[in-house]
Amino acid sequence: MEYRVQRPDKTVRQVRSLARAVRGEDGTVTGFVGTVEDVTEARQAQRRLRDSEDFLDRTGRVAGVGGWELDLQQGTIQWSDQTCRIHDVEPGHRPTFAEAVSFYAPEGRAAIREAIEQAIEQRMPFDLELPMNTVRGRSIWVRTVGEVAYAEGRPVRAFGAFQDITRRHHAEVALRESNRLLRQLYEQTPAMMHSINVDGTLLSVSDRWLATMGYTREEVIGRRALEFFTDESRRLRQDDLRQLWASGRHTSGLLQVTRRDGSVLDIVASAIVQYDDGGHAQRALVVT
C-alpha cells in the first residue's frame, strides 16, 4: 500500500510499504516483515508526466497536430490521440505499418514508403503532403513530417508529426486556380495593359500589348518600361512615375512609344499602385 507520512520537520512524504506475514509452525501469524520505500520523487515525476501528456494532448487537439512513432525493428506504430482522431479511430489504436499506409490514397502510398526508406538510407528527414481516407470515409489531406533515430549506427525508430491540412490545401488550390484565371483574363484582355515594379521593370504584359508593340512576352519581361518610349516621352514619363509612386495613381498626358518595327504610337497611360499589408508599394498596373 501507499500512504503519506509527516516527518518531525512537518514535511510530508509519500511512501510505499510492502509486507509479508510471518507464520509459526502451526500456521498462525506471529508477525510481519517488510520494507518502506520513499516514492515521493517518483510519484511527483509521474504526475508531471501525466500533466505534460495532458498538456500535449490538449495543444495537439487545438492545433490539429498529432505524433507518430514507428519501431523499425518490430514494425509496430504508436499514434498519439490526436493522430487517432485524424484517422477517425479510437484514441489508443495501435495500427500495423501496413494498416497505417493503407489510409493514404493509392498515389500517396508509394510516396510515404519511399520517404521512410530514404530517411533510413540517407538519414534525410521528410516533409510530405498527401491525400488520405479516414475510417469514416472522409477524404482529407495531411502533412506528415518525420526523421529516423539511430542507436550504435543502426536505425531503430522513425518518428514525427501528423496534421490535417485539408482546409489549407483546398484554399491553396482555390487560390492557384483564381490566380490562373486572373492571369488568363489579364493576358487576354482586349486592352493594352502591363505591370511594373517600383524600379520600372516590366513584370507582366497583356496579349494586346504584345500584338500592338510587335514583341513576344519573352522579349519584354524583365526590361524597363521606359526603354519603349521615345527620348522626349521618356523624360516626361519619368516625371509621371514619380507622381504615381507618390500619390498612388496617375494619368499621363500624350506620350509616344516606339514599336518593334520602328513606328511611333501615340498613347495615354493610366496607372494605379498596389500596396502590401504594410503600406509599401509593390507594383503598378498600367492601362495604355
Side-chain angles (χ1 to χ4, degrees):
M1 63 185 298
E2 289 190 15
Y3 49 88
R4 292 179 299 163
V5 296
Q6 181 172 279
R7 299 196 297 195
D9 62 2
K10 305 301 183 183
T11 59
V12 175
R13 307 293 293 179
Q14 184 90 5
V15 298
R16 179 171 181 242
S17 179
L18 301 176
R20 175 178 295 178
V22 177
R23 299 180 181 275
E25 293 180 358
D26 59 356
T28 60
V29 176
T30 61
F32 293 87
V33 62
T35 61
V36 176
E37 178 187 5
D38 187 337
V39 294
T40 305
E41 283 73 19
R43 296 299 176 260
Q44 289 174 346
Q46 289 175 349
R47 284 193 293 272
R48 287 194 297 269
L49 178 60
R50 285 196 300 270
D51 292 343
S52 177
E53 290 174 342
D54 290 343
F55 172 75
L56 288 174
D57 183 58
R58 289 195 302 272
T59 55
R61 186 193 293 263
V62 171
V65 178
W68 60 269
E69 181 172 304
L70 167 63
D71 186 321
L72 296 174
Q73 309 300 316
Q74 303 295 326
T76 57
I77 292 182
Q78 182 175 349
W79 283 349
S80 70
D81 288 349
Q82 182 59 27
T83 299
C84 290
R85 295 186 191 102
I86 294 173
H87 286 80
D88 286 337
V89 298
E90 290 295 323
H93 181 67
R94 300 288 293 270
T96 63
F97 180 71
E99 179 187 1
V101 172
S102 70
F103 283 98
Y104 291 99
E107 61 270 26
R109 295 170 191 168
I112 190 66
R113 289 181 184 275
E114 182 180 356
I116 293 177
E117 289 174 1
Q118 288 185 349
I120 294 173
E121 296 172 1
Q122 304 176 23
R123 302 197 178 196
M124 291 175 51
F126 61 86
D127 187 340
L128 299 176
E129 295 184 4
L130 300 170
M132 63 165 281
N133 298 297
T134 72
V135 168
R136 296 178 183 174
R138 294 188 303 120
S139 296
I140 64 174
W141 277 80
V142 296
R143 180 187 181 195
T144 180
V145 180
E147 61 181 82
V148 173
Y150 292 79
E152 299 179 352
R154 296 171 51 201
V156 292
R157 65 189 180 96
F159 62 95
F162 195 81
Q163 183 179 20
D164 184 341
I165 58 167
T166 306
R167 290 184 180 180
R168 193 198 77 190
H169 176 79
H170 289 335
E172 289 175 349
V173 170
L175 180 60
R176 286 196 297 269
E177 178 63 11
S178 176
N179 288 339
R180 186 189 67 80
L181 292 174
L182 285 173
R183 177 169 291 278
Q184 185 179 38
L185 176 65
Y186 173 86
E187 292 179 349
Q188 297 178 2
T189 181
M192 284 183 67
M193 296 177 63
H194 67 274
S195 62
I196 57 175
N197 63 14
V198 292
D199 294 325
T201 301
L202 283 167
L203 301 175
S204 60
V205 292
S206 67
D207 291 346
R208 180 65 178 274
W209 190 100
L210 294 170
T212 302
M213 296 294 289
Y215 290 94
T216 65
R217 187 166 279 106
E218 292 74 18
E219 291 175 319
V220 299
I221 298 300
R223 294 173 61 180
R224 291 177 64 82
L226 289 175
E227 295 179 30
F228 300 93
F229 288 84
T230 62
D231 291 342
E232 182 179 354
S233 290
R234 190 177 297 122
R235 290 190 292 271
L236 295 173
R237 190 58 178 158
Q238 286 176 329
D239 292 335
D240 289 342
L241 291 176
R242 280 191 287 269
Q243 295 181 51
L244 169 65
W245 298 119
S247 64
R249 62 178 63 237
H250 184 73
T251 299
S252 73
L254 185 64
L255 300 170
Q256 290 185 319
V257 293
T258 303
R259 302 157 83 177
R260 183 171 188 172
D261 62 7
S263 60
V264 174
L265 187 68
D266 294 326
I267 66 161
V268 173
S270 297
I272 187 169
V273 175
Q274 179 184 353
Y275 300 91
D276 62 18
D277 294 339
H280 304 101
Q282 287 187 307
R283 60 180 63 85
L285 178 63
V286 185
V287 179
T288 301

